[in-house]
């Protein structure tokens, strides 16, 4: 499975374009108006199958969190290859590749405006302002305004903070998203991102005529090593809950309201897609695959963010921080890569099984 993982964004993009073209998908690229490390304009790609039934659609998206796209792209590549060999499903396929192309290309989880795209999809009436209680206190720890030292006593400080505040409070203060610290971690932005505007404009066309949509958005970095969970960031209807249970099993998902590892975050891609009412039945799940423990992941995020804003791109410390972040969200381990891609393909087949037999889920 390691062969599906690309060495950088440019390679992932060209392989994706090639794989989708081979299957006769229609392909379009959308510029996000900034450049990658090779000096080329960055674009994300959208591929739609041309032969499937447009009323039943599977949407597979990767790279909302930039660097996590190494994994999501590998899943898309593996799926394209399988379809090339075994034939296409009867449902229509829409693939969104490298949505946060800047983060993917520059080894960041955030975008060209330091926005966490999964906190940026606010609904009408929600304001791009505010922060969870506790974020202000944590700001100087999370977002030091200086280049990284060679020794950062992160774990000591983190352990002290966990003792002082408790893990749960800390997690909610950190990962809920904030709208007040533009250079900080988990910044939701001060308006819709370029990616969001592009999706807003074109999603209706890609999903034209759809009645039932299952959308899997691939992520990494949360949960135990090589395990997965479907995270739901909106209130499920009974029908959505039933479809999730039928497709993936009763233990497969955690909804916003009953969650241990998800949290009360605003601005998620899922709730936004569902709220747009592109289809009568739109089921969105964030397929989250675990890598390393949360404190380690947070340490890597902090170091990369610090190096990105306060270091120089050519500094060894900056390069190291970015390499470390990439490894945290896309481990080199062949065993991890094998497991997560196989499990992702299984999830996609389960979703397609449901789309093939819509009557059985009562839709
Ligand atoms: Zn993610």
């Amino acid at each position: 499975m390691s062969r599906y993982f690309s060495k950088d964004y440019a390679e992932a993009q060209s392989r994706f374009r090639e794989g989708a073209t081979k299957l006769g998908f229609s392909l379009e690229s959308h510029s996000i108006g900034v450049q990658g490390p090779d000096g080329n304009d960055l674009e994300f790609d959208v591929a739609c199958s041309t032969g499937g039934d447009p009323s039943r659609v599977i949407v597979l998206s990767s790279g909302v969190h930039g660097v996590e796209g190494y994994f999501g792209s590998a899943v898309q590549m593996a799926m394209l290859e399988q379809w090339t060999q075994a034939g296409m499903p009867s449902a229509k396929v829409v693939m969104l590749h490298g949505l946060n192309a800047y983060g993917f290309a520059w080894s960041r989880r955030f975008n060209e405006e330091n926005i966490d795209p999964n906190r940026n999809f606010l609904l009408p009436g929600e304001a791009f302002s505010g922060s969870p209680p506790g974020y202000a206190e944590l700001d100087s720890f999370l977002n030091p305004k200086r280049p990284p030292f060679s020794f950062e006593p992160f774990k000591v400080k983190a352990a002290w903070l966990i003792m002082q505040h408790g893990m749960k409070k800390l997690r909610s203060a950190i990962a809920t998203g904030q709208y007040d610290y533009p250079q900080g971690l988990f910044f939701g932005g001060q308006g819709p991102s370029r990616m969001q505007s592009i999706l807003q404009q074109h999603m209706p066309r890609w999903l034209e005529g759809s009645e039932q949509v299952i959308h899997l958005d691939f992520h990494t970095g949360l949960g135990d090593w090589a395990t997965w969970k479907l995270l739901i960031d909106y209130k499920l209807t009974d029908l959505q809950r039933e479809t999730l249970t039928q497709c993936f099993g009763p233990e497969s998902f955690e909804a916003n309201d009953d969650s241990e590892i998800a949290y009360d975050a605003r601005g998620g891609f899922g709730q936004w897609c569902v709220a747009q009412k592109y289809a009568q039945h739109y089921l969105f799940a964030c397929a989250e695959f675990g890598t390393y423990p949360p404190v380690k992941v947070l340490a890597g995020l902090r170091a990369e963010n610090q190096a990105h804003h306060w270091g120089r791109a050519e500094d060894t410390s900056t390069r190291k921080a970015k390499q470390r972040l990439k490894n945290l969200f896309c481990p080199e381990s062949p065993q991890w890569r094998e497991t997560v891609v196989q499990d992702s393909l299984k999830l996609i087949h389960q979703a397609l099984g449901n789309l093939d037999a819509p009557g059985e889920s009562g839709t």
Side-chain angles (χ1 to χ4, degrees):
M1 288 296 153
S2 279
R3 73 178 188 280
Y4 298 115
F5 289 79
S6 297
K7 69 173 191 319
D8 56 26
Y9 178 63
E11 183 182 289
Q13 183 173 44
S14 83
R15 291 173 77 187
F16 176 76
R17 287 173 173 173
E18 199 181 311
T21 308
K22 212 164 159 185
L23 274 167
F25 281 44
S26 71
L27 187 67
E28 48 188 273
S29 306
H30 292 274
S31 167
I32 53 165
V34 284
Q35 294 178 336
D38 54 9
N40 291 328
D41 277 347
L42 287 170
E43 299 172 322
F44 70 80
D45 296 277
V46 180
C48 298
S49 68
T50 43
D53 174 0
S55 71
R56 298 173 288 118
V57 184
I58 187 159
V59 180
L60 305 172
S61 49
S62 72
V64 163
H65 278 143
V67 70
E68 298 175 21
Y70 280 100
F71 155 70
S73 173
V75 172
Q76 290 172 318
M77 286 311 303
M79 201 60 248
L80 287 172
E81 190 178 287
Q82 240 185 42
W83 284 331
T84 307
Q85 287 159 2
M88 288 293 296
S90 64
K92 179 178 173 178
V93 177
V94 174
M95 281 194 178
L96 314 174
H97 180 267
L99 280 173
N100 169 12
Y102 178 88
F104 198 151
W106 289 97
S107 290
R108 306 212 73 203
R109 197 167 171 274
F110 310 122
N111 81 353
E112 60 280 5
E113 296 175 288
N114 196 50
I115 291 173
D116 178 336
N118 228 14
R119 301 288 172 267
N120 182 252
F121 286 93
L122 294 181
L123 299 176
E126 285 187 292
F128 282 90
S129 63
S131 303
Y135 194 95
E137 283 172 62
L138 293 170
D139 178 48
S140 64
F141 164 66
L142 289 174
N143 309 309
K145 291 174 179 49
R146 55 166 174 78
F149 298 141
S150 55
F151 172 71
E152 291 278 339
F154 178 86
K155 278 193 179 161
V156 180
K157 285 194 210 168
W160 184 78
L161 282 165
I162 292 166
M163 263 164 50
Q164 204 183 22
H165 298 280
M167 192 62 192
K168 206 171 171 186
K169 195 179 154 203
L170 204 62
R171 190 163 57 196
S172 110
I174 291 169
T176 303
Q178 53 85 8
Y179 299 84
D180 301 326
Y181 302 85
Q183 289 182 317
L185 292 173
F186 313 110
F187 174 57
Q190 282 163 350
S193 69
R194 176 109 178 104
M195 177 221 291
Q196 186 188 146
S197 308
I198 295 169
L199 293 174
Q200 175 103 55
Q201 189 184 346
H202 298 285
M203 287 275 274
R205 180 167 53 82
W206 302 326
L207 295 171
E208 200 175 350
S210 64
E211 287 163 22
Q212 197 195 354
V213 177
I214 300 181
H215 184 160
L216 295 174
D217 186 39
F218 290 92
H219 289 256
T220 57
L222 198 60
D224 293 335
W225 178 260
T227 65
W228 59 270
K229 203 81 188 176
L230 299 175
L231 303 184
I232 311 295
D233 67 350
Y234 54 94
K235 194 149 179 49
L236 288 170
T237 63
D238 290 344
L239 182 60
Q240 284 165 327
R241 193 175 284 273
E242 193 186 318
T243 308
L244 276 169
T245 307
Q246 279 191 4
C247 273
F248 310 108
E251 303 294 321
S252 65
F253 60 95
E254 279 181 17
N256 225 358
D257 40 359
D258 56 21
S259 163
E260 275 279 306
I261 54 171
Y263 20 72
D264 193 18
R266 293 198 288 147
F269 186 28
Q271 48 112 34
W272 182 87
C273 284
V274 170
Q276 305 300 312
K277 304 210 183 311
Y278 294 125
Q280 194 184 355
H281 302 295
Y282 199 109
L283 179 66
F284 182 106
C286 162
E288 180 72 63
F289 287 76
T291 58
Y292 293 97
V295 171
K296 194 171 165 144
V297 172
L298 182 63
L301 282 167
R302 173 191 187 259
E304 187 279 334
N305 197 51
Q306 184 183 7
H308 186 83
H309 292 296
W310 304 97
R312 288 173 309 183
E314 64 274 21
D315 288 350
T316 313
S317 58
T318 305
R319 282 208 304 274
K320 272 192 183 160
K322 287 183 177 286
Q323 186 58 42
R324 175 175 162 204
L325 194 78
K326 183 186 163 184
N327 291 340
L328 284 170
F329 286 95
C330 182
E332 297 277 349
S333 154
Q335 173 263 342
W336 183 85
R337 292 182 171 195
E338 174 76 24
T339 309
V340 296
V341 174
Q342 291 290 11
D343 286 355
S344 299
L345 295 180
K346 206 184 288 174
L347 286 172
I348 296 170
H349 283 296
Q350 285 169 327
L352 285 170
N354 187 276
L355 289 166
D356 276 341
E360 288 172 22
S361 68
T363 54

